[in-house]
Amino acid sequence: MTGTHEQNEPIYVCRCEEITLDEIREWIDRGYDTLDELKRVLRVGMGPCQGRGCQDILLREISKRTGKPIVNVPQSTVRPPVKPVKIGLLAKGGEE
Amino acid sequence: MEWKNTADVVVIGGGILGVSTAYYLAKNGMKNVTLIEKGTICGGSTGRCGAGIRAQWGTEMNCRLGVAALDTFEQLSDELGMDVGLNQGGYLLVAYSDKEMETLGAGMKLQNSLGIQSRNISLAEARQICPGLAADDAVGFFFHARDGHADPFLTTFAYLEKAKTLGVTPYRFTECTGISVKDGTVTGVETNRGHIDAPIVINCAGAYAQDIAKMVGVNIHTWGERHEIMITEPVAPGVCPCMLMSFSGNYYIQQRPHGSIICGMSPEGHPADYQLKDTWQFVEAMSKILVHLLPRTKGIRVVRQWSGLYDMTPDAQPIIGETDIKNFYHSTGYSGHGFMLAPVAGKILAQHIMGKKPDIDFSMLDYRRFDRGEHIRESNVV
């Protein structure tokens, strides 16, 4: 182990949904080896940050565990809005 | 996964309908069930749906299927050994006119006659169930406490994982490109990865099922219709404890156990262009409904919007059964309610194929009803 990480301390990859590296590895090994399927089963990348924090780590883990070059691991669809927007603001058509 | 070019049954489609049908076939003793999916499991309408489960329907068949689905959902996590995220907060139906009260009231009478405990309730009681509900412009409310929602992803994967232990083989990235028929009987499927010989083929391709049927000249009268939906950041539970729904108001709103609020509506014109587009018009219209109906949602943030296809039929009731091609079955056309009906639909079709008496007689769901003009339109649909 490197750095200050304790061996038994969980490593949170998706902070929005609190999903750990161990959980991600377990589900990839069970055949959920696309980013879309990992999202569906664990909700990784579906929180407020929309995968900005975890997508690269997830793609790298899928690549490492399946042996596919990372360029061949498809990313997820990027969906609007670009950043979270309050319902009250949207209801006014975007005008404060 | 090693490619097998023979199967006893091929199921086309890796949504909830295909996966649950494959599971119930294996559970009822069918060996060698192969499921083919052109993309990934749960990547179509199931994974995009609003997740609701209800028995408050306007036709007898939909009521029977709906309450049987509730019975199944209530014990599904135990049966499959994985949590399906069931949350029974009830469905609160909101009526905005006397005419709608009449329609929903007739539905309630029908539901009550079938043992479904739906009730007409006051605004005061509606506010006890859903604190913060404005709805001053509503005329009346109907409530059924056993209704609710489950997690479509987890339900599909729970079925899939259990099905795998019973010998079901799922192939992802495997697209059906043809159906083989000999002397009027199905003999297998063609795929982008090769042929599979099979004496029984079941079409569970949802909004694309009519394209599969047309490969052998069968017209099942279904089509795909785009609907839009959005989800908020997770907030404390209790903002919307029940499923809030209105057919004339054109909305449904629910809060997942984990805190996010999911809500959707039918877009203007019911587009059938097969484009999975997201529009700002939807987000604006939906947000207006939310602020009006549940004012305290105004400070909650929308994090994502998407769209999905309803697999529509002319009467908004499904198609279940065999076609003019022997042993070529269909289970599709759920018209936006495939997720909630899948546990019972998969079960009854599997029972029929295995030569058992289905729990519910589904002969009236034959697709030829549209040619005969025998269909009765379901009224309770968003």
Side-chain angles (χ1 to χ4, degrees):
Chain A
M1 300 301 281
T2 55
T4 55
H5 178 69
E6 297 289 333
Q7 204 148 6
N8 297 321
E9 198 181 322
I11 303 169
Y12 287 97
V13 171
C14 172
R15 285 178 292 182
C16 299
E17 302 285 337
E18 298 183 348
I19 304 298
T20 66
L21 187 59
D22 283 347
E23 288 172 279
I24 288 157
R25 288 178 171 168
E26 182 200 327
W27 283 96
I28 294 171
D29 293 349
R30 290 179 73 172
Y32 293 67
D33 58 3
T34 64
L35 189 50
D36 281 343
E37 285 163 305
L38 278 181
K39 279 174 71 173
R40 290 173 201 149
V41 74
L42 290 172
R43 300 198 71 81
V44 282
M46 291 172 99
C49 94
Q50 289 289 284
R52 283 176 185 78
C54 62
Q55 175 158 298
D56 288 350
I57 302 170
L58 295 168
L59 291 171
R60 197 170 66 226
E61 275 307 307
I62 292 170
S63 167
K64 276 203 288 201
R65 295 186 94 76
T66 60
K68 271 189 209 162
I70 199 157
V71 292
N72 295 341
V73 182
Q75 300 190 7
S76 267
T77 308
V78 177
R79 300 193 190 281
V82 170
K83 60 186 242 184
V85 185
K86 283 183 180 171
I87 287 167
L89 187 60
L90 291 163
K92 287 179 195 155
E95 294 184 23
E96 296 265 21
Chain B
M1 198 174 278
E2 200 189 326
W3 180 256
K4 295 193 289 187
N5 58 11
T6 60
D8 293 330
V9 181
V10 169
V11 178
I12 304 165
I16 186 73
L17 255 305
V19 176
S20 72
T21 305
Y23 164 74
Y24 286 111
L25 280 167
K27 189 190 171 192
N28 279 281
M30 183 68 84
K31 308 277 177 230
N32 234 339
V33 178
T34 293
L35 180 140
I36 61 171
E37 160 54 46
K38 71 176 173 183
T40 51
I41 301 298
C42 217
S45 301
T46 304
R48 298 164 182 275
C49 81
I53 303 165
R54 66 177 151 119
Q56 292 187 83
W57 288 99
T59 69
E60 182 175 338
M61 187 43 114
N62 274 343
C63 285
R64 285 190 191 283
L65 292 171
V67 76
L70 281 175
D71 291 340
T72 308
F73 266 110
E74 284 170 355
Q75 51 79 48
L76 201 55
S77 297
D78 288 341
E79 175 174 343
L80 301 178
M82 192 167 146
D83 183 23
V84 303
L86 180 64
N87 178 35
Q88 289 172 294
Y91 257 63
L92 183 59
L93 302 183
V94 186
Y96 289 97
S97 69
D98 293 338
K99 191 167 171 287
E100 189 169 27
M101 279 303 286
E102 260 176 57
T103 309
L104 294 181
M108 182 189 75
K109 280 203 187 103
L110 171 70
Q111 293 148 21
N112 292 170
S113 76
L114 298 166
I116 299 159
Q117 309 283 314
S118 48
R119 295 183 297 127
N120 180 202
I121 64 169
S122 65
L123 175 60
E125 193 176 347
R127 282 185 178 149
Q128 279 172 11
I129 292 162
C130 189
L133 178 70
D136 299 300
D137 48 351
V139 178
F141 303 86
F142 292 86
F143 185 69
H144 181 227
R146 274 180 79 198
D147 293 345
H149 50 88
D151 187 315
F153 299 130
L154 295 183
T155 307
T156 308
F157 292 138
Y159 271 121
L160 181 74
E161 290 302 314
K162 190 74 180 182
K164 284 195 223 164
T165 68
L166 299 174
V168 172
T169 308
Y171 291 129
R172 297 175 298 167
F173 308 111
T174 307
E175 185 171 0
C176 176
T177 55
I179 304 288
S180 318
V181 175
K182 198 176 173 217
D183 302 328
T185 302
V186 82
T187 58
V189 296
E190 297 293 340
T191 80
N192 59 330
R193 296 172 63 195
H195 185 80
I196 306 173
D197 283 322
I200 299 172
V201 173
I202 308 174
N203 182 1
C204 296
Y208 305 94
Q210 66 282 358
D211 300 336
I212 305 270
K214 272 184 200 134
M215 290 173 180
V216 282
V218 173
N219 182 4
I220 56 169
H221 305 281
T222 60
W223 70 94
E225 185 178 286
R226 182 173 73 247
H227 287 241
E228 295 195 50
I229 183 165
M230 67 189 199
I231 189 167
T232 71
E233 63 190 327
V235 291
V239 175
C240 187
C242 56
M243 175 77 89
L244 260 180
M245 186 180 221
S246 175
F247 305 116
S248 67
N250 184 22
Y251 60 75
Y252 61 84
I253 303 157
Q254 55 114 323
Q255 187 174 19
R256 301 185 62 242
H258 133 302
S260 302
I261 296 163
I262 293 184
C263 48
M265 64 193 289
S266 296
E268 197 91 11
H270 298 271
D273 55 8
Y274 290 83
Q275 300 293 305
L276 291 168
K277 284 192 291 200
D278 313 304
T279 64
W280 61 264
Q281 288 94 336
F282 159 71
V283 179
E284 189 178 323
M286 193 73 234
S287 299
K288 283 196 165 91
I289 291 172
L290 279 167
V291 169
H292 183 67
L293 193 68
L294 277 175
R296 61 179 166 191
T297 58
K298 65 178 192 292
I300 301 171
R301 293 171 181 85
V302 175
V303 297
R304 184 166 66 251
Q305 68 172 118
W306 66 99
S307 60
L309 302 176
Y310 277 22
D311 47 343
M312 295 302 297
T313 64
D315 62 0
Q317 298 191 86
I319 290 166
I320 311 178
E322 202 174 11
T323 56
D324 288 335
I325 310 284
K326 197 168 163 26
N327 292 338
F328 181 37
Y329 292 88
H330 281 74
S331 182
T332 189
Y334 288 84
S335 307
H337 316 110
F339 170 64
M340 71 173 85
L341 299 182
V344 60
K347 193 186 289 177
I348 59 181
L349 183 56
Q351 287 166 332
H352 173 76
I353 288 173
M354 298 306 287
K356 297 176 183 171
K357 186 174 179 290
D359 291 349
I360 295 173
D361 175 10
F362 57 83
S363 51
M364 69 163 289
L365 296 176
D366 177 19
Y367 70 104
R368 283 158 288 211
R369 69 183 182 271
F370 306 123
D371 295 323
R372 295 193 296 260
E374 285 170 1
H375 50 286
I376 306 162
R377 170 79 198 183
E378 168 60 59
S379 53
N380 293 6
V381 185
V382 166

